[in-house]
Amino acid sequence: MALLDVCGISDWVKEDGFNAERASVDKVNHFNFAAQTPELAVPVGVDPAEFLRPLVDSEEGVDGVTINLEHGTTTLAFKFQHGVMVAVDSRASAGSYVSTQMFKKVIEINPFLLETMSGSAADCVYWERVLAKECRIYKLRNKERISVSAASKLLANMVVNYRGMGLSMGTMICGWDKKGPGLYYVDDNGLGLCGNMFSTGSGNTYAYGVMDSGYRYDLSVPEAYDLAQRAIFHATHRDAYSGGTVNMYHMRETGWIKVSQEDVGDLYHRFSNEKK
Amino acid sequence: MAARYDRAITVFSPDGHLFQVEYAQEAVKKGSTAVGIRGKDIVVLGVVKKSVAKLQEERTVRKICALDDHVCMVFAGLTADARIVINRARVECQSHRLTVEDPVTVEYITRHIATLKQRYTQSNGRRPFGISALIVGFDCDGTPRLYQTDPSGTYHAWKANAIGRSAKTVREFLEKNYTEESIATDNESIKLAIKALLEVVQSGGKNIELAVIRRNQSLKLLESKEIETLVTEIEKEKEEEAEKKKQKKST
């Protein structure tokens, strides 16, 4: 502004939308569905990626300290002829301490969109709530629900800006839109994959073993419920960082339903009685 | 040194008008006439071609532009302003495809263009865009759409509309002649657009530029030969109508 010039302080006044070379009128933002967001919530003067790299990448770390971010959980989702099955455990751990056995790892964005969480609880809860906000705004602006592919793209684009800065998030976005059932995996690197079957978290190898041995596209609904439940149960049985209850959802053409919430202890007795 | 935008150019007058926006609408009225028609399976855009100077290459003067495979627009007003708006719209169409993985709906891109125009009526150091646009296309579900935007940033859906120099005359013609029969087939819709423009153009088919989008096909510009053929058809039909009326009178 002319007044700033006269006072001679326009040199060291921080660049903001007013005297930036590109005025905020032209900046792209979420409203325009552009890939870049103009604001990054990063502290001034510190480059988080540079700070974190020696701690994460190298073996000896910094002064012998390394940071290894692991996704302590088990979640899974698979598509089959009657829609999409989603099953998660409910244990939140801080190292070897179990913070809670009743953590809700599925966020219900709208009656046709679900999102699972694995990794850092704080990162997941925050970014998935931001995504839920964007989905609601999309519906208000465009008068129709957002598609599953668009929702997964939005989350991936939001998160890729913070690549290397220490986010830890592995999520599956499941829904039913105009194109039918949708299942996408998005993680903290900004990777977005479309697929028929995913499992995330420290217990995912156990879950994949059970899922792969029992999966067919033409499963019936009770068979799919049983398969999803078993897969999570077996993962909680062997993985120390998974446990609590198995929360199961079924995404159908008419929206999702919560199928069941069973304690893994009860499941253990049920399955072991079957063997007898 | 970046210019300091001290003062807004578009401010309210005491009786509530935005004069810059109204002057922009005057600039639009000086542009060549353009017409848009929404048929059942086709959308048609037509514009009166400015006569090209002898040494000028004809192909560089194009007022009908594709924004994406399934959307196109025609404008009336300042050509330079239109180039900027069309560029931004094309980028937005691709951004949308990238982030949402779906092509834009005609309403979405119209809303984007209208919002862009509105922003320029409410910011420092900028003047409004001096163009009105007719945006046509098909949505994913196959519905044909026609929208009109103006320099103030408002947009509306239309069945048929005209912008530019003799927009009023053409719109009145369309109000009288846009019926279910007149858009019954693709050919009829195209002929309706030509008839509307013939009302205001001097030298007939030579000065008309016409483009169509059919469902699931991209923009197609009609060649001058095709336009000439259709103009001759229209003139024959007119003569036959006149003959019938004469016969009725005499019998």
Side-chain angles (χ1 to χ4, degrees):
Chain A
M1 277 173 77
L3 186 56
L4 286 178
D5 275 340
V6 166
C7 298
I9 60 170
S10 52
D11 294 336
W12 53 265
V13 165
K14 208 159 155 266
E15 282 283 310
D16 60 14
F18 211 70
N19 35 351
E21 276 190 19
R22 255 174 95 223
S24 56
V25 176
D26 293 328
K27 272 191 193 149
V28 291
N29 52 33
H30 287 303
F31 175 39
N32 288 342
F33 276 111
Q36 283 285 358
T37 52
E39 309 94 21
L40 218 53
V42 165
V44 179
V46 175
D47 183 355
E50 275 305 308
F51 166 78
L52 201 60
R53 196 174 309 132
L55 289 159
V56 171
D57 284 351
S58 61
E59 285 214 1
E60 60 303 326
V62 174
D63 296 334
V65 177
T66 57
I67 297 180
N68 284 319
L69 298 161
E70 310 215 340
H71 304 190
T73 190
T74 315
T75 67
L76 66 84
F78 59 83
K79 274 196 227 175
F80 70 118
Q81 65 174 339
H82 292 296
V84 190
M85 285 306 305
V86 180
V88 300
D89 76 313
S90 66
R91 173 174 292 184
S93 47
S96 54
Y97 172 71
V98 175
S99 323
T100 176
Q101 295 270 67
M102 291 181 297
F103 191 82
K104 226 176 148 248
K105 297 189 188 181
V106 174
I107 178 171
E108 301 149 3
I109 297 180
N110 67 45
F112 290 82
L113 203 55
L114 289 173
E115 244 194 294
T116 66
M117 306 183 197
S118 72
S120 154
D123 289 339
C124 285
V125 169
Y126 178 77
W127 284 108
E128 295 190 10
R129 292 188 80 218
V130 173
L131 178 66
K133 172 204 104 178
E134 290 291 332
C135 292
R136 281 195 293 273
I137 290 185
Y138 181 98
K139 180 153 187 274
L140 284 169
R141 283 186 183 139
N142 297 283
K143 297 183 195 135
E144 62 172 19
R145 268 192 307 269
I146 193 170
S147 65
V148 189
S149 51
S152 71
K153 247 312 167 43
L154 277 179
L155 182 63
N157 287 342
M158 282 192 267
V159 156
V160 79
N161 291 314
Y162 297 90
R163 219 176 124 101
M165 297 189 195
L167 280 184
S168 166
M169 186 187 78
T171 168
M172 294 176 299
I173 300 177
C174 330
W176 199 297
D177 58 23
K178 280 192 289 202
K179 298 180 250 193
L183 176 57
Y184 289 80
Y185 169 75
V186 177
D187 79 3
D188 48 83
N189 289 317
L191 174 68
L193 295 171
C194 177
N196 284 339
M197 184 199 293
F198 290 110
S199 176
T200 70
S202 54
N204 72 350
T205 41
Y206 309 109
Y208 271 130
V210 176
M211 260 204 304
D212 283 333
S213 58
Y215 175 79
R216 286 181 337 264
Y217 183 78
D218 53 0
L219 287 167
S220 71
V221 171
E223 285 176 333
Y225 289 178
D226 185 66
L227 180 67
Q229 212 173 34
R230 263 174 216 273
I232 295 286
F233 164 74
H234 285 287
T236 62
H237 186 57
R238 288 292 176 183
D239 179 33
Y241 300 105
S242 306
T245 61
V246 178
N247 292 332
M248 203 160 46
Y249 290 75
H250 179 192
M251 177 67 68
R252 304 178 301 187
E253 192 167 1
T254 48
W256 56 259
I257 53 166
K258 183 156 188 189
V259 178
S260 66
Q261 181 174 346
E262 280 193 69
D263 188 282
V264 296
D266 299 336
L267 286 175
Y268 176 81
H269 291 296
R270 176 145 60 90
F271 293 149
S272 56
N273 285 336
E274 275 175 13
K275 287 193 198 141
K276 290 188 194 146
Chain B
M1 195 67 162
R4 302 300 186 211
Y5 318 126
D6 287 78
R7 224 179 320 138
I9 288 181
T10 315
V11 289
F12 278 110
S13 70
D15 56 348
H17 291 259
L18 286 170
F19 278 127
Q20 281 300 305
V21 172
E22 296 189 3
Y23 299 159
Q25 280 160 346
E26 289 298 313
V28 168
K29 287 196 197 136
K30 291 201 165 50
S32 40
T33 321
V35 72
I37 304 234
R38 185 186 84 194
K40 294 217 181 81
D41 307 305
I42 193 174
V43 286
V44 188
L45 285 177
V47 69
V48 174
K49 255 195 297 202
K50 229 174 24 178
S51 42
V52 164
K54 252 183 28 182
L55 295 173
Q56 189 177 73
E57 294 261 15
E58 200 187 320
R59 263 190 298 136
T60 52
V61 189
R62 282 253 180 272
K63 297 197 106 185
I64 303 180
C65 314
L67 299 179
D68 201 347
D69 289 335
H70 61 297
V71 189
C72 75
M73 71 173 252
V74 70
F75 62 90
L78 279 68
T79 315
D81 285 4
R83 212 175 48 234
I84 304 295
V85 170
I86 289 172
N87 216 30
R88 294 267 185 88
R90 284 176 173 160
V91 171
E92 179 59 24
C93 285
Q94 297 313 310
S95 277
H96 189 277
R97 270 185 196 261
L98 176 65
T99 38
V100 185
E101 307 229 327
D102 265 333
V104 292
T105 58
V106 186
E107 200 261 338
Y108 177 88
I109 194 63
T110 309
R111 195 165 8 116
H112 175 86
I113 292 175
T115 313
L116 177 68
K117 288 185 178 178
Q118 191 280 338
R119 261 189 248 137
Y120 275 65
T121 68
Q122 208 179 14
S123 37
N124 296 351
R126 286 159 200 258
R127 60 161 177 83
F129 285 105
I131 62 162
S132 273
L134 288 174
I135 300 154
V136 293
F138 282 88
D139 288 341
C140 289
D141 58 0
T143 335
R145 303 248 186 234
L146 164 65
Y147 286 91
Q148 186 224 359
T149 66
D150 69 352
S152 64
T154 55
Y155 69 96
H156 297 280
W158 291 76
K159 295 183 192 157
N161 200 3
I163 50 176
R165 190 168 288 134
S166 328
K168 205 155 166 290
T169 324
V170 178
R171 205 175 303 127
E172 282 169 2
F173 173 85
L174 287 170
E175 280 174 14
K176 275 196 229 110
N177 292 287
Y178 182 95
T179 60
E180 279 304 308
E181 309 165 340
S182 63
I183 54 154
T185 69
D186 291 357
N187 221 22
E188 288 297 310
S189 307
I190 300 177
K191 281 204 283 204
L192 180 62
I194 298 181
K195 276 188 235 173
L197 286 176
L198 284 174
E199 295 278 312
V200 296
V201 85
Q202 279 89 0
S203 26
K206 269 191 282 109
N207 279 21
I208 294 181
E209 196 180 306
L210 215 67
V212 298
I213 301 189
R214 292 191 171 82
R215 190 172 289 121
N216 296 326
Q217 293 179 26
S218 30
L219 174 69
K220 199 177 139 239
L221 283 159
L222 266 63
E223 307 204 6
S224 32
K225 271 183 284 170
E226 295 176 78
I227 301 179
E228 283 298 325
T229 327
L230 288 162
V231 168
T232 3
E233 259 186 62
I234 291 172
E235 289 181 345
K236 232 182 24 173
E237 283 173 14
K238 264 197 202 152
E239 281 176 23
E240 287 171 5
E241 279 289 316
E243 277 295 315
K244 269 200 222 149
K245 278 200 185 136
K246 253 201 234 161
Q247 285 190 0
K248 262 195 181 167
K249 268 193 181 164
S250 54
T251 49

